[in-house]
């Protein structure tokens, strides 16, 4: 099934998920097995030998991921960072260089600064919404990737995917887009020229805060084969039950994202008028510097909202500690609303670096609860 044949919600429900041919089960089974009986030496049945190398439940998820992103190959991993690490070691070599966002997710920054750098991979952090900065950071023949997040985590900056893809390809490099915040429902970077998409499937794709996973989706078969080799060789694969849970979540991605966006827009309007808030960061606002680009490449503006608290870090932490419906927790993209202080939580690894986030910043993952209840919770927490 491809995007040329069916709409997004149809693909999310059916791609890779035909009824079980033996029993007629509408939901694909969980193949909770480590190994497979072979018909003869050198003749594995349907190509299945060992579940690190291949598993029918994971294959169903991978086919669905490729379909909903409009890609050629989807690959599922144990976590988003496992997917990122596999990608870097598949396409880069010691001595290569990567351009990353100057407000990247803290875990991505840690991977580059504390792991990949020790392996010999160099990197430069720049504002990806400034193409002149990106071009100035390029080292022709050495820079292999532009690594983009859009919207970024947690400052919700927007990068122009098509423009970055053109710049990367001008230098025979690739564009990688972390599409976790937008989800494939709101944004499809491959159609805009990106070469690889990264997901933490833990977030909107899984959608229920009950499974950890990651994914890569590629625009061409050759790169897909290269990444599949490394997926097997490095081994950080998605387990069958995790794959099944993620597939279950993807089925309702479209309807959930509409509600996430509806609720986020109401909350943004409330926060903009509250005296305890100095700034609201949301690409749906016409005052947001990336609004026009976001409107061009996104269907809607997402369920993530960040704001800066009047009163600095102390007030920001106090708000996080006072909410009742907004759960104080890391992660995002689940049906329940979450609140966090990035500087002390998800982005602590970036403290003291050029990627350090403002101390007064609060990040909301807006869930699908009754929005009036969420507004009342924020009202009492802001005081």
């Amino acid at each position: 099934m491809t995007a040329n044949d069916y709409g997004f919600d149809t693909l999310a429900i059916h791609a890779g998920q035909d009824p079980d041919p033996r029993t007629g089960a509408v939901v694909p089974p969980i193949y909770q097995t480590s190994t497979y009986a072979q018909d003869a030496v050198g003749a594995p049945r349907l190509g299945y030998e060992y579940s690190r190398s291949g598993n029918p439940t994971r294959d169903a998820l991978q086919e669905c991921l490729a379909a909903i992103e409009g890609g050629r190959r989807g690959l599922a991993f144990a976590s988003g960072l496992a997917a990122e690490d596999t990608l870097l070691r598949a396409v880069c070599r010691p001595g290569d260089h990567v351009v990353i966002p100057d407000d990247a997710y803290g875990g991505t920054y840690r991977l580059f600064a504390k792991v990949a750098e020790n392996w010999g991979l160099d990197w430069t952090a720049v504002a990806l919404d400034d193409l002149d900065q990106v071009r100035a950071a390029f080292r022709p023949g050495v820079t292999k990737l532009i690594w983009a997040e859009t919207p970024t985590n947690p400052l919700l900056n927007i990068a122009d995917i098509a423009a970055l893809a053109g710049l990367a390809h001008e230098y025979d490099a690739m564009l990688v887009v972390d599409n976790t915040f937008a989800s494939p429902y709101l944004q499809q970077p491959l159609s805009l020229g990106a070469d690889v998409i990264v997901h933490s499937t833990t977030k909107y794709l899984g959608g229920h805060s009950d499974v950890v996973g990651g994914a890569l989706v590629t625009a061409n078969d050759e790169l897909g084969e290269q990444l599949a080799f490394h997926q097997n060789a490095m081994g950080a694969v998605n387990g069958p039950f995790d794959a099944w849970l993620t597939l279950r979540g993807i089925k309702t991605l479209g309807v959930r994202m509409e509600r996430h966006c509806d609720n986020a827009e109401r909350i943004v309007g409330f926060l903009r008028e509250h005296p305890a808030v100095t700034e609201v960061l949301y690409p749906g606002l016409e005052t947001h510097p990336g609004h026009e680009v976001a409107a061009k490449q996104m269907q809607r503006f997402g369920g993530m909202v960040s704001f800066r608290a009047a009163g600095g870090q102390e007030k920001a932490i106090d708000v996080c500690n006072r909410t009742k419906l907004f759960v104080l927790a890391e992660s995002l993209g689940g049906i329940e609303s979450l609140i966090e202080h990035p500087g002390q939580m998800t982005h602590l690894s970036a403290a003291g670096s050029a990627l350090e986030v403002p101390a007064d910043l609060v990040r909301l993952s807006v869930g699908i609860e009754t929005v009036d209840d969420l507004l009342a919770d924020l009202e009492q927490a802001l005081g």
Side-chain angles (χ1 to χ4, degrees):
M1 299 181 71
T2 69
N4 294 326
D5 300 321
Y6 296 101
F8 182 90
D9 291 319
T10 302
L11 293 171
I13 293 168
H14 293 287
Q17 301 170 79
D18 291 335
D20 178 52
R22 187 171 71 87
T23 66
V26 172
V27 176
I30 303 170
Y31 286 88
Q32 193 68 48
T33 185
S34 60
T35 193
Y36 306 84
Q38 301 190 24
D39 294 329
V41 174
R45 192 175 305 171
L46 300 177
Y48 291 109
E49 303 171 326
Y50 186 63
S51 272
R52 171 172 43 78
S53 304
N55 178 280
T57 314
R58 188 167 74 245
D59 286 349
L61 171 59
Q62 293 180 155
E63 183 178 338
C64 185
L65 288 167
I68 62 176
E69 279 286 14
R72 299 292 300 174
R73 185 74 177 267
L75 298 164
F77 294 83
S79 69
L81 282 168
E84 292 185 10
D85 182 43
T86 302
L87 172 60
L88 288 177
R89 289 200 269 175
V91 302
C92 296
R93 298 292 178 268
D96 287 345
H97 174 253
V98 179
V99 177
I100 72 170
D102 64 358
D103 58 343
Y105 163 55
T108 298
Y109 164 74
R110 183 175 56 227
L111 178 63
F112 277 98
K114 307 298 184 182
V115 179
E117 188 174 303
N118 293 336
W119 179 62
L121 185 65
D122 199 6
W123 54 277
T124 302
V126 302
L128 293 188
D129 57 356
D130 185 333
L131 290 179
D132 290 335
Q133 281 195 41
V134 179
R135 187 179 294 276
F138 248 85
R139 305 174 192 173
V142 180
T143 301
K144 301 299 182 184
L145 302 174
I146 298 175
W147 190 286
E149 293 176 19
T150 184
T152 59
N153 179 6
L155 297 179
L156 297 169
N157 287 317
I158 299 296
D160 188 325
I161 296 171
L164 288 176
L167 195 157
H169 298 158
E170 179 183 337
Y171 289 97
D172 295 322
M174 291 192 294
L175 174 63
V176 176
V177 176
D178 185 334
N179 202 29
T180 299
F181 263 35
S183 87
Y185 181 73
L186 298 182
Q187 178 174 271
Q188 297 194 328
L190 297 183
S191 68
L192 299 169
D195 299 284
V196 187
I197 291 169
V198 174
H199 278 287
S200 170
T201 59
T202 310
K203 312 307 193 297
Y204 285 110
L205 288 167
H208 293 76
S209 302
D210 56 8
V211 62
V212 174
L216 299 173
V217 182
T218 67
N220 70 74
D221 292 320
E222 182 180 355
L223 179 57
E225 284 297 319
Q226 183 183 1
L227 292 173
F229 172 85
H230 281 78
Q231 179 195 40
N232 179 51
M234 295 171 67
V237 295
N238 203 230
F241 186 47
D242 291 346
W244 185 89
L245 284 170
T246 305
L247 270 174
R248 186 276 314 266
I250 289 173
K251 289 175 185 288
T252 60
L253 178 62
V255 292
R256 285 188 287 108
M257 291 309 300
E258 289 291 344
R259 183 63 171 267
H260 285 300
C261 293
D262 288 345
N263 284 358
E265 289 169 5
R266 288 280 306 277
I267 285 171
V268 165
F270 164 79
L271 291 173
R272 291 188 77 195
E273 301 299 324
H274 202 286
V277 174
T278 61
E279 183 181 10
V280 180
L281 310 178
Y282 187 67
L285 292 171
E286 292 185 0
T287 54
H288 188 288
H291 174 73
E292 290 186 9
V293 173
K296 178 180 66 174
Q297 65 191 21
M298 298 177 72
Q299 180 171 303
R300 294 185 69 182
F301 301 103
M304 299 302 298
V305 179
S306 293
F307 66 90
R308 302 183 71 169
Q313 176 173 291
E314 183 178 353
K315 178 63 175 179
I317 292 175
D318 181 61
V319 172
C320 292
N321 287 335
R322 286 171 55 89
T323 57
K324 302 183 188 307
L325 281 178
F326 280 85
V327 179
L328 178 61
E330 298 187 3
S331 197
L332 58 104
I335 53 175
E336 62 288 303
S337 294
L338 304 179
I339 189 170
E340 68 130 357
H341 183 262
Q344 297 293 313
M345 296 172 69
T346 52
H347 291 68
L348 183 60
S349 62
S353 77
L355 281 75
E356 183 173 9
V357 299
D360 59 359
L361 191 72
V362 175
R363 191 190 75 182
L364 305 177
S365 174
V366 180
I368 64 171
E369 301 96 336
T370 302
V371 69
D372 288 340
D373 296 331
L374 296 177
L375 293 170
D377 190 34
L378 289 173
E379 178 67 65
Q380 67 81 24
L382 286 163

